Amino acid sequence: MDMDGASSVVLQALTQATSQDTAVLKPAEEQLRQWETQPGFYSVLLNIFNNHMLDVNVRWLAVLYFKNGIDRYWRRVAPHALSEEEKTSLRAGLITNFNEPVNQIATQIAVLIAKVARLDCPRQWPELIPILLESVKGQDGLRQHRALLTFYHVTKTLASKRLAQDRRLFQDLASGIYSFACSLWSHHTDCFLQQICARDEAAALGSLERSLLSLKVLRKLTVFGFQEPQQNVEVMGFLNAVFERLRQFLECSRQVGPNSSCREKLEKIIILYTKALLDFLEYHPCAFIPLIQRSLEFAVSYLFTPAGEGVTFERFTVQCMNLIKLIVKNDAYKPSKNIDDSKPESLEAHKIKTAFFTHPTLTEIGRRLVSHYFLLTEEELAMWEEDPESFAVEETGGDSWKYSLRPCAEVLFLDIFHNYNQTLIPGLLDMVQNLQGPTNVEDSAQLLMKDSVYNAVGLAAYELFDNVDFDQWFKNQLLGELQVSHHRYKLIRRRVIWLIGQWISVKFKSELRPLLYEVILSLMQDPDLVVRIETATTLKLTVDDFEFRTEQFLPYLESIFGLLFQLLQQVTECDTKMQVLHVISCVIERVNMQIRPYVGCLVQYLPLLWKQSEEHNMLRCAILTTLIHLVQGLGAECKNLYPFLLPVIQLSTDVSQPPHVYLLEDGLELWLVTLENSPAITPELLRIFQNMSALLELSSENLRTCFQIVNAYLYLSATDFLQVVEIALKVSPILGAHMFQPLLPAVLRGIVAGERYPVVMSTYLGIIGRILLQNSSFFSSLLTQMASECSQKMEQLLASVIEMWVDRMDNITQPERRKLSSLALLSLLPSDNSVIQDKFCGIINISVEALHDVMTEDPETGTFKDCMLMSQFEEPKLSDDEEPPTEQDKRKKVLALEDPVHSVSLQQFVYEKLKAQQAMMGDQGFGVLMETVDTELVRQLQEFLQGL
């Protein structure tokens, strides 16, 4: 690309590419895409975004194209890679000036320099770091800031490399520049503190920005730059200095007030300091041991004493909680059960923790967590009133939930309680005792406190197993709380039903379940939506529990299921509908066919919900799960759902439709259970099989389910199914190619290629064995088609199939399938085909193996009998916990009587086939054929066939 003439045309294209008019935008983007591989293009882009006189949007776009080009064409091995000459020129141009006036563009330039550094520094770009360090030392404020910004992004990128050689290079870099980075951070931090004391906020803001960037650099160097950081005095000096700096910045944040221009960056740098400690603890737990005492003193002081009042803010509090939590639960700080096996570092850390977590300290931490951090905030209570559904979503783990204060406090409480339960249990029980009896609805503080204490008892349920008689508490106290219907008492009604859900699998007598179902039935009619949603969640936990008894629940099933359906209609949030659908699914799954009288309204509503959820694939997944359990519960009656059910399956399993990415797994499961429970084949059921070809081509983790679906079709109506397959292949090649043709050839290809997964190979051989045994003419046509496609003779292909079958027989582990393989290969006899006669020895080998699998000797007569033979079935008696047989189970029982595996004696079949082969070839020819078989195999064969 000619640089002189190119600049103007590239500039014009970039200008057009910023247009809002697609007629102008699209051609410009196409032109720029074509130039991406042209030599000199990136040099032109560099000149454009370095020209501060040009339009900001054009320069921004030039930077983005340059950045994308690094990803695609900078590596030497990349197609259309940039020349070494141009890359040298570009590297030099990128670090000539650090004077970009626009912050956003400066950040992008820093990022693209870091991208180049990841590939070229230090070998091809040794001058980068020295130039950055020199620029950072300069007096020009803008240049210093931009160089520091770039320094940070380069350090961040190099620190992220994980190959051993790259890590050593970064460690070499860190050891060389760490002193400078420390002094830089210390200088800018001191400048900020002096300027903020002098109330020069404008200057302080600039220093704060530089302090923040230098701290970011130092954090990466500290965490990733040293293999044994505890041996580096400067590293440990920096980390020890963090605590004092944190105190200084926290005090500054209190002094400047909430409206200060520095406030946002102050909070950022405070969080960054805590991240430095948390990262160092994560990556270097043993090196962190000298910091344990100070870390705990610092965090506990600000969180659980008056020192933190008016100073802390939520995200800082969360970080401090995480710091305590990671120290408490760190495995490196726990001695082995046998003290003699413990590492000295573990013993030292454990000693420090034990000395710190005294009885008074633990008691105060536990008390403050429950009485202060567990309390619902005014904002949360307002959300409950104004938007109860959103509140319920947040409480059950919404996206922001895990980052908010109360959930972090709950996790810390659990970790501390687990490690120090003997110290904390008495204090918690005292708090429970002090709150006995209903609370005055006018006393909002006491209501909030009771909510917090009950929350703690629910979280610590497993730890409190031996200390709380929950059954008595439920009957004597909690039931009474649930009967208080006042509007303000909804706080306690919701918490108590949640509490019961936490204890249901820990300690809750089975005989109390009917009383609990009465409670659930009542609370599902509570005027408060949050209470109803929480009650539904507890219902799910109850029916999921291993002590659930269907007969206890049946008297309440109709009423509760109706109320669940009402709740599903009432809620509007996608997450809440999913939550309620999961409860409904769970109930249907547990009561199975008992649900049939009560699902009419749900069946009518689901099509509407499916349509409304077109843009919400996760909600559609929940609907699919509900349909799976619904079909299983309805059994043969699921045929009434076909007008809705089959289009849902069709869409969910069509890989040409974008939603399949989310819906495929559940869609396949629904397809399978629909076939298993369908009373008869229908044209519509056959029609959706057209999706199967593309699914098999995917060869994904869903392959097993796909074969189960094929199997279910064969059970449902083998004649109709295979007839449709055969017609599709023979009569209508176009239709066959679209619907069925890839299916069986894919199986044959897998066998010939030696499919490496034994389970899949076993399935392949089972499918082909069934076709060969029961539809030999179709098998021949399939071989002919495959041979034609592969430009092979049919005999060659047959030889390959038999050879692989014999070789991989050990992949088949089920005796039924091993017998099937033997019957299938024996069905090729008698034959004068040279290929079959060449493979005769292998066929006999498989047959003798199968005889060993299925023949049992009668001890009285000494004769052998095929144990796979069945003469009749007895209907098994089902216990209360057993599921009734599906339609497919019934079909299997009927088909088993007709199945050659269960109706044909392998011993007799081998004998007849060998006699037929002997009759065809004559005694002499057959004798020669038998001589190809190992003498020991012949002896075993004769032993099995004696008496016939």
Side-chain angles (χ1 to χ4, degrees):
M1 181 175 278
D2 176 35
M3 292 286 289
D4 294 333
S7 294
S8 59
V9 292
V10 172
L11 180 59
Q12 183 181 7
L14 287 168
T15 304
Q16 291 171 342
T18 62
S19 171
Q20 300 298 313
D21 184 351
T22 54
V24 176
L25 170 69
K26 293 298 181 184
E29 288 181 336
E30 177 59 26
Q31 180 62 74
L32 288 165
R33 188 187 64 78
Q34 292 176 9
W35 284 337
E36 282 180 359
T37 56
Q38 293 294 311
F41 176 61
Y42 295 96
S43 298
V44 173
L45 290 177
L46 176 65
N47 289 336
I48 289 173
F49 69 68
N50 273 340
N51 186 343
H52 303 163
M53 304 299 292
L54 297 176
D55 179 74
V56 169
N57 292 324
V58 172
R59 295 174 58 230
W60 169 267
L61 199 57
V63 174
L64 294 185
Y65 270 96
F66 194 110
K67 192 170 69 171
N68 293 337
I70 296 170
D71 294 330
R72 295 172 187 164
Y73 309 115
W74 199 273
R75 288 180 174 83
R76 293 178 183 178
V77 295
H80 309 291
L82 276 71
S83 68
E84 291 302 314
E85 181 183 1
E86 184 173 4
K87 288 198 289 186
T88 301
S89 172
L90 291 172
R91 284 193 293 261
L94 284 171
I95 54 176
T96 301
N97 295 303
F98 294 104
N99 58 352
E100 172 56 52
V102 180
N103 285 333
Q104 293 88 339
I105 295 178
T107 300
Q108 290 301 317
I109 292 173
V111 169
L112 70 85
I113 290 173
K115 282 179 174 287
V116 176
R118 183 180 183 86
L119 301 171
D120 290 357
C121 184
R123 291 184 180 85
Q124 286 80 35
W125 207 2
E127 66 273 21
L128 173 61
I129 299 299
I131 287 176
L132 286 173
L133 295 181
E134 191 60 37
S135 301
V136 165
K137 295 175 186 176
Q139 297 303 310
D140 182 279
L142 178 65
R143 181 178 172 84
Q144 185 187 65
H145 178 273
R146 300 314 191 218
L148 190 52
L149 178 67
T150 306
F151 187 31
Y152 160 62
H153 281 284
V154 169
T155 307
K156 176 184 176 183
T157 300
L158 295 180
S160 69
K161 299 178 78 172
R162 287 292 172 262
L163 293 179
Q165 186 178 9
D166 292 326
R167 292 174 69 176
R168 283 194 296 272
L169 285 172
F170 186 72
Q171 287 166 7
D172 291 341
L173 170 67
S175 62
I177 66 172
Y178 197 82
S179 293
F180 172 75
C182 278
S183 62
L184 191 70
W185 160 73
S186 184
H187 168 72
H188 289 305
T189 304
D190 288 339
C191 285
F192 164 73
L193 292 171
Q194 291 165 10
Q195 289 158 350
I196 205 70
C197 285
R199 302 192 181 277
D200 186 357
E201 282 208 8
L205 191 59
S207 295
L208 183 57
E209 173 67 20
R210 289 166 178 76
S211 178
L212 181 65
L213 286 171
S214 56
L215 178 58
K216 286 181 176 182
V217 171
L218 205 49
R219 173 188 165 210
K220 294 297 180 184
L221 294 176
T222 301
V223 175
F224 300 107
F226 300 90
Q227 198 163 358
E228 295 182 341
Q230 67 272 28
Q231 296 181 4
N232 188 295
V233 175
E234 285 186 304
V235 170
M236 300 310 291
F238 160 70
L239 289 167
N240 274 293
V242 162
F243 300 102
E244 183 55 35
R245 292 301 195 188
L246 270 169
R247 287 190 177 91
Q248 291 172 337
F249 279 102
L250 284 164
E251 182 59 27
C252 280
S253 70
R254 186 183 63 81
Q255 289 176 359
V256 300
N259 300 319
S260 168
S261 58
C262 294
R263 179 75 189 193
E264 183 181 348
K265 276 195 167 53
L266 266 172
E267 292 192 357
K268 275 187 179 180
I269 202 166
I270 289 167
I271 295 305
L272 193 60
Y273 276 115
T274 62
K275 282 182 177 179
L277 292 172
L278 286 165
D279 287 351
F280 194 77
L281 171 56
E282 178 183 355
Y283 287 96
H284 305 284
C286 290
F288 194 86
I289 290 174
L291 303 168
I292 290 177
Q293 181 76 22
R294 291 196 69 181
S295 298
L296 290 174
E297 287 173 351
F298 177 86
V300 170
S301 170
Y302 277 99
L303 265 56
F304 303 109
T305 74
E309 292 176 7
V311 176
T312 59
F313 53 97
E314 183 169 306
R315 200 170 168 207
F316 170 73
T317 303
V318 167
Q319 293 289 90
C320 287
M321 287 182 176
N322 287 335
L323 189 60
I324 298 171
K325 178 187 72 176
L326 290 178
I327 291 172
V328 167
K329 67 184 295 188
N330 201 306
D331 289 335
Y333 301 160
K334 295 178 181 177
S336 303
K337 290 183 178 178
N338 183 354
I339 295 296
D340 294 336
D341 296 334
S342 302
K343 295 179 180 179
E345 300 87 12
S346 299
L347 291 173
E348 182 186 355
H350 181 68
K351 182 180 178 182
I352 296 169
K353 288 198 301 178
T354 302
F356 179 82
F357 286 116
T358 61
H359 188 283
T361 299
L362 284 169
T363 303
E364 182 60 18
I365 289 174
R367 188 190 68 80
R368 287 272 293 175
L369 281 171
V370 175
S371 64
H372 180 69
Y373 292 108
F374 278 20
L375 294 176
L376 288 171
T377 65
E378 290 184 10
E379 292 80 6
E380 288 170 324
L381 293 171
M383 180 188 284
W384 188 337
E385 291 296 333
E386 296 162 12
D387 190 357
E389 199 173 332
S390 293
F391 174 82
V393 169
E394 289 294 314
E395 285 293 291
T396 52
D399 288 340
S400 62
W401 182 85
K402 57 188 175 183
Y403 302 111
S404 57
L405 180 55
R406 187 156 47 83
C408 290
E410 291 172 353
V411 172
L412 176 60
F413 173 81
L414 273 173
D415 287 325
I416 290 183
F417 210 93
H418 177 71
N419 284 276
Y420 303 101
N421 53 28
Q422 294 307 308
T423 303
L424 292 170
I425 284 174
L428 182 56
L429 294 180
D430 284 345
M431 296 176 87
V432 173
Q433 187 63 40
N434 292 336
L435 292 167
Q436 287 296 311
T439 301
N440 186 345
V441 295
E442 302 298 330
D443 191 343
S444 58
Q446 278 296 90
L447 289 174
L448 287 169
M449 180 59 72
K450 179 173 279 191
D451 175 77
S452 296
V453 172
Y454 284 5
N455 185 13
V457 175
L459 292 171
Y462 286 98
E463 306 293 340
L464 294 169
F465 180 87
D466 293 323
N467 302 93
V468 173
D469 185 342
F470 193 80
D471 296 326
Q472 287 299 316
W473 195 30
F474 171 70
K475 290 187 294 185
N476 299 336
Q477 165 84 11
L478 300 180
L479 270 178
E481 305 257 35
L482 291 172
Q483 291 164 4
V484 180
S485 59
H486 194 282
H487 171 72
R488 290 181 183 171
Y489 220 75
K490 65 183 180 182
L491 194 72
I492 305 305
R493 293 197 301 275
R494 171 250 182 181
R495 180 57 71 189
V496 168
I497 196 63
W498 171 88
L499 175 63
I500 293 167
Q502 302 308 298
W503 276 85
I504 199 74
S505 61
V506 178
K507 184 190 284 187
F508 198 91
K509 285 182 180 176
S510 180
E511 52 264 34
L512 289 177
R513 296 295 174 103
L515 186 55
L516 175 56
Y517 297 139
E518 295 276 3
V519 167
I520 289 172
L521 182 58
S522 172
L523 291 180
M524 287 295 296
Q525 302 170 72
D526 195 278
D528 186 79
L529 180 61
V530 174
V531 174
R532 297 200 300 277
I533 293 172
E534 196 66 69
T535 304
T537 303
T538 294
L539 173 63
K540 180 179 183 296
L541 294 171
T542 305
V543 298
D544 259 347
D545 185 55
F546 73 97
E547 288 195 9
F548 174 78
R549 298 289 178 266
T550 305
E551 68 276 8
Q552 288 182 315
F553 184 62
L554 286 180
Y556 309 94
L557 174 59
E558 180 178 7
S559 300
I560 288 178
F561 195 81
L563 292 167
L564 278 174
F565 175 64
Q566 287 181 24
L567 182 60
L568 179 64
Q569 290 179 299
Q570 290 164 357
V571 296
T572 57
E573 296 279 345
C574 181
D575 286 342
T576 324
K577 283 190 179 292
M578 287 169 55
Q579 187 179 341
V580 179
L581 274 172
H582 285 314
V583 180
I584 289 173
S585 297
C586 193
V587 170
I588 295 173
E589 182 182 18
R590 295 310 299 262
V591 303
N592 205 280
M593 60 189 296
Q594 309 276 6
I595 200 66
R596 292 177 185 178
Y598 315 121
V599 295
C601 292
L602 179 65
V603 166
Q604 292 175 17
Y605 176 66
L606 285 178
L608 173 62
L609 184 58
W610 180 266
K611 186 175 181 180
Q612 292 173 341
S613 61
E614 189 171 358
E615 302 299 322
H616 303 283
N617 287 309
M618 298 312 294
L619 177 54
R620 284 195 161 185
C621 286
I623 297 172
L624 288 172
T625 302
T626 303
L627 285 171
I628 289 167
H629 296 306
L630 192 56
V631 167
Q632 291 170 327
L634 289 173
E637 292 179 20
C638 73
K639 67 181 186 295
N640 299 323
L641 297 182
Y642 283 0
F644 168 55
L645 196 59
L646 301 190
V648 166
I649 296 171
Q650 168 75 37
L651 173 69
S652 304
T653 60
D654 184 351
V655 297
S656 68
Q657 298 291 330
H660 90 272
V661 175
Y662 303 94
L663 308 180
L664 180 58
E665 186 174 349
D666 292 320
L668 287 171
E669 185 67 25
L670 178 59
W671 190 355
L672 178 60
V673 300
T674 300
L675 292 170
E676 289 175 343
N677 289 278
S678 292
I681 197 74
T682 68
E684 293 79 15
L685 275 173
L686 283 172
R687 196 172 299 126
I688 58 175
F689 191 78
Q690 64 186 337
N691 286 357
M692 185 57 69
S693 299
L695 289 165
L696 289 172
E697 292 296 322
L698 285 178
S699 296
S700 67
E701 64 275 7
N702 296 309
L703 204 56
R704 175 190 281 271
T705 309
C706 291
F707 281 121
Q708 289 176 323
I709 289 168
V710 173
N711 205 35
Y713 272 107
L714 290 168
Y715 276 118
L716 189 55
S717 180
T719 305
D720 289 337
F721 179 59
L722 289 176
Q723 185 177 17
V724 171
V725 174
E726 197 166 357
I727 291 171
L729 289 171
K730 292 184 176 180
V731 178
S732 177
I734 296 175
L735 179 63
H738 181 63
M739 290 178 66
F740 302 109
Q741 202 161 358
L743 171 60
L744 295 176
V747 172
L748 265 182
R749 281 194 293 272
I751 293 173
V752 173
E755 165 60 47
R756 64 193 179 107
Y757 292 109
V759 173
V760 178
M761 186 61 152
S762 173
T763 305
Y764 282 168
L765 293 173
I767 291 172
I768 294 302
R770 187 66 67 182
I771 293 171
L772 173 57
L773 182 60
Q774 298 185 263
N775 198 333
S776 58
S777 61
F778 180 73
F779 179 75
S780 297
S781 67
L782 183 62
L783 277 181
T784 303
Q785 174 204 334
M786 277 285 294
S788 174
E789 290 178 2
C790 302
S791 300
Q792 272 186 300
K793 291 183 178 179
M794 191 184 81
E795 289 78 7
Q796 289 178 309
L797 187 60
L798 178 61
S800 299
V801 170
I802 297 174
E803 186 174 331
M804 191 57 70
W805 208 324
V806 174
D807 183 58
R808 301 293 290 275
M809 183 68 174
D810 287 343
N811 288 169
I812 306 174
T813 56
Q814 303 97 320
E816 292 88 349
R817 286 194 183 179
R818 292 175 67 81
K819 180 178 178 180
L820 173 63
S821 286
S822 177
L823 292 171
L825 290 174
L826 285 166
S827 72
L828 295 170
L829 303 178
S831 175
D832 57 2
N833 187 308
S834 60
V835 169
I836 295 174
Q837 292 187 7
D838 286 343
K839 303 299 179 186
F840 180 78
C841 176
I843 294 172
I844 296 301
N845 186 23
I846 283 181
S847 300
V848 173
E849 283 190 26
L851 284 166
H852 278 290
D853 291 328
V854 304
M855 300 300 288
T856 56
E857 187 176 6
D858 188 326
E860 294 182 3
T861 63
T863 58
F864 287 95
K865 181 182 178 182
D866 190 333
C867 67
M868 293 286 171
L869 293 178
M870 297 181 181
S871 56
Q872 63 180 7
F873 275 113
E874 292 183 6
E875 284 292 335
K877 293 182 179 179
L878 299 174
S879 68
D880 292 337
D881 294 332
E882 289 182 300
E883 294 184 0
T886 64
E887 293 299 306
Q888 179 159 306
D889 292 331
K890 297 173 185 176
R891 287 191 285 269
K892 283 182 179 179
K893 290 183 178 180
V894 173
L895 286 171
L897 287 174
E898 304 170 3
D899 185 353
V901 172
H902 298 297
S903 61
V904 174
S905 165
L906 180 59
Q907 179 191 38
Q908 187 70 34
F909 197 68
V910 172
Y911 176 77
E912 291 173 358
K913 287 296 182 179
L914 291 180
K915 292 295 288 183
Q917 187 71 31
Q918 184 179 23
M920 173 184 284
M921 299 182 69
D923 292 346
Q924 184 176 355
F926 183 69
V928 172
L929 189 62
M930 286 298 295
E931 288 177 359
T932 65
V933 182
D934 182 79
T935 54
E936 176 58 24
L937 277 180
V938 173
R939 186 194 66 75
Q940 293 176 26
L941 182 63
Q942 289 171 342
E943 187 177 333
F944 280 120
L945 300 183
Q946 66 182 356
L948 293 179

